[in-house]
Amino acid sequence: MTATLYAYAFLDEFVLLYPVYALLFADTGLSVGQISSLFVLWSLTGVLLEVPSGAWADAVSRRVLLWLGPLLGAAGFALWVLVPSYASFAAGFVLWGARGALGSGALEALVYEELRRLGAEGRYARVMGRAHAVGQAAAMAAMGLAGPVFAYGGHPAVGAASVLACLLCAATATRFPEHRAPATGGEGGDEDDGTGWAATLRAGLGEARRDRSVRGALLLVPAVAAVWGALDEYTSLLARDTGIPDAAVPYLLMLIWAGVTAGSLLAGPAERLGRTGFAALLTASALALAAGALTRTPAGFALVALAFGGFQLATVLADVRLQHRIQEGGRATLTSVASLGTEAVTIGVYGTYALLAATGGHALAFALCAVPYLVTATAVARGGKRG
């Protein structure tokens, strides 16, 4: 299973369009406001589909959702390069958002339960941390290859490579093992008229209402993942403000992704961190983010990379904590609820960042976005003292 997981994680992120799709939008004539509206549409799609897709994954086959999602992504990317227009870009972002929603929750639930079947659920943090690291390495490789492929064939060549990666990702997903019986709707266990989906959704949300520890773990995921996930969309603008030429911006972004990859690889050993250690991790990362951004120099990006690595580590650990607290049944549903919270907060961060950057610049906006992490760290530490 782990070999399939790592191959899936690599192909899921090996999309050469990622570092250049904003250029495609701009070359088509879109304004900054139109491009921002596409990002919001992307997140809104995730908000609307996260929980229903998670309940669907619990009610039917998680493996099916994992190969269906990349096919939707392939269709969206093909639209972008074949008929570039605002309408096509919007449709592509809806398909891309649906792709993310189908995989979110389903992947974590499948991996955790397959490991538990083998009595190896204690390896979940290490396995998922490595999977994230593989995906981040793929993203860096895509950054490196996008330039020469774009120079050779422009947007069509980059788009074709991205569609191919999605198709290979879908094919890889069919290799996942799945030793669970999907939930069904009828009392006899052989009907699937939608009541199974609804019952699964109610059961999953009911567990969150009944169990305070599950509810707390659900809230921690968006508190950790949303802000730095949104800031990632603006790192190129922060890099440009340091005064380096545009051609050097990708190198600073690769430094950040190297930090994120290192954070993923540390997930296994760091699983032993208690509440105090987790709070210290968030605090140190927040301070590094603020200090690195405010230097307004390329050297400061080393601190930003350190901060992003810490936030990635905290994000994996928050997911591990959630998976350990979920009992039976609605694992994918509850994981998708956490992702829903992340998407909702991310939309708020986009709006807040726009206001902060408009008044104080990108460096100040990044620094102020470190404040929510200090608040979360304080809440986690106090929670440990009450416990």
Side-chain angles (χ1 to χ4, degrees):
M1 182 195 68
T2 53
T4 301
L5 173 64
Y6 298 152
Y8 183 87
F10 183 91
L11 292 167
D12 191 44
E13 294 293 340
F14 190 67
V15 178
L16 273 63
L17 268 172
Y18 285 174
V20 298
Y21 63 75
L23 300 179
L24 171 61
F25 301 160
D27 290 346
T28 308
L30 269 63
S31 66
V32 175
Q34 287 175 311
I35 294 174
S36 297
S37 71
L38 292 174
F39 289 148
V40 172
L41 178 62
W42 183 21
S43 293
L44 284 175
T45 302
V47 167
L48 293 174
L49 296 182
E50 274 291 352
V51 176
S53 66
W56 189 22
D58 282 329
V60 293
S61 168
R62 291 160 184 170
R63 182 170 54 202
V64 168
L65 270 63
L66 292 176
W67 63 255
L68 178 59
L71 294 182
L72 297 180
F77 295 150
L79 272 177
W80 285 3
V81 295
L82 292 177
V83 283
S85 66
Y86 182 85
S88 295
F89 298 149
F93 268 115
V94 170
L95 290 169
W96 192 0
R99 170 194 181 175
L102 290 178
S104 174
L107 180 64
E108 293 87 349
L110 185 148
V111 172
Y112 190 89
E113 292 187 357
E114 288 300 316
L115 288 173
R116 187 172 62 179
R117 186 182 66 87
L118 300 172
E121 63 267 33
R123 295 183 57 201
Y124 177 79
R126 187 180 301 274
V127 168
M128 289 304 291
R130 288 175 178 174
H132 284 298
V134 168
Q136 287 138 14
M140 287 190 289
M143 281 184 195
L145 286 174
V149 172
F150 183 82
Y152 173 78
H155 294 300
V158 174
S162 301
V163 170
L164 177 60
C166 290
L167 296 177
L168 292 174
C169 185
T172 301
T174 64
R175 305 287 298 175
F176 274 116
E178 187 173 23
H179 294 86
R180 61 181 286 273
T184 54
E187 292 181 1
D190 57 358
E191 298 179 19
D192 189 13
D193 59 0
T195 56
W197 177 91
T200 302
L201 177 59
R202 287 195 299 269
L205 296 178
E207 182 176 355
R209 288 193 298 268
R210 292 189 302 270
D211 192 328
R212 181 177 178 181
S213 67
V214 172
R215 193 163 59 249
L218 279 174
L219 294 173
L220 183 62
V221 172
V224 171
V227 176
W228 81 271
L231 289 179
D232 180 50
E233 301 295 332
Y234 301 99
T235 49
S236 59
L237 301 176
L238 180 68
R240 174 183 284 175
D241 277 3
T242 65
I244 64 171
D246 285 355
V249 168
Y251 298 111
L252 290 185
L253 300 188
M254 290 180 70
L255 176 62
I256 289 179
W257 278 96
V260 172
T261 303
S264 296
L265 292 173
L266 290 172
E271 190 178 6
R272 294 187 292 270
L273 286 176
R275 283 181 174 270
T276 300
F278 189 86
L281 172 65
L282 289 180
T283 301
S285 300
L287 295 176
L289 176 66
L294 290 174
T295 62
R296 295 180 172 86
T297 64
F301 260 69
L303 286 175
V304 176
L306 181 64
F308 272 47
F311 293 142
Q312 168 64 13
L313 173 56
T315 298
V316 176
L317 294 179
D319 171 57
V320 171
R321 176 179 173 175
L322 174 62
Q323 299 302 328
H324 284 331
R325 279 162 174 72
I326 298 172
Q327 297 304 311
E328 301 292 339
R331 184 174 303 278
T333 302
L334 288 172
T335 305
S336 288
V337 170
S339 296
L340 168 64
T342 300
E343 291 289 352
V345 176
T346 297
I347 292 173
V349 175
Y350 285 146
T352 302
Y353 184 93
L355 293 175
L356 293 175
T359 56
H362 294 291
L364 181 61
F366 266 73
L368 291 177
C369 284
V371 174
Y373 286 109
L374 298 177
V375 175
T376 300
T378 301
V380 169
R382 287 180 176 175
K385 291 178 181 179
R386 287 196 300 267

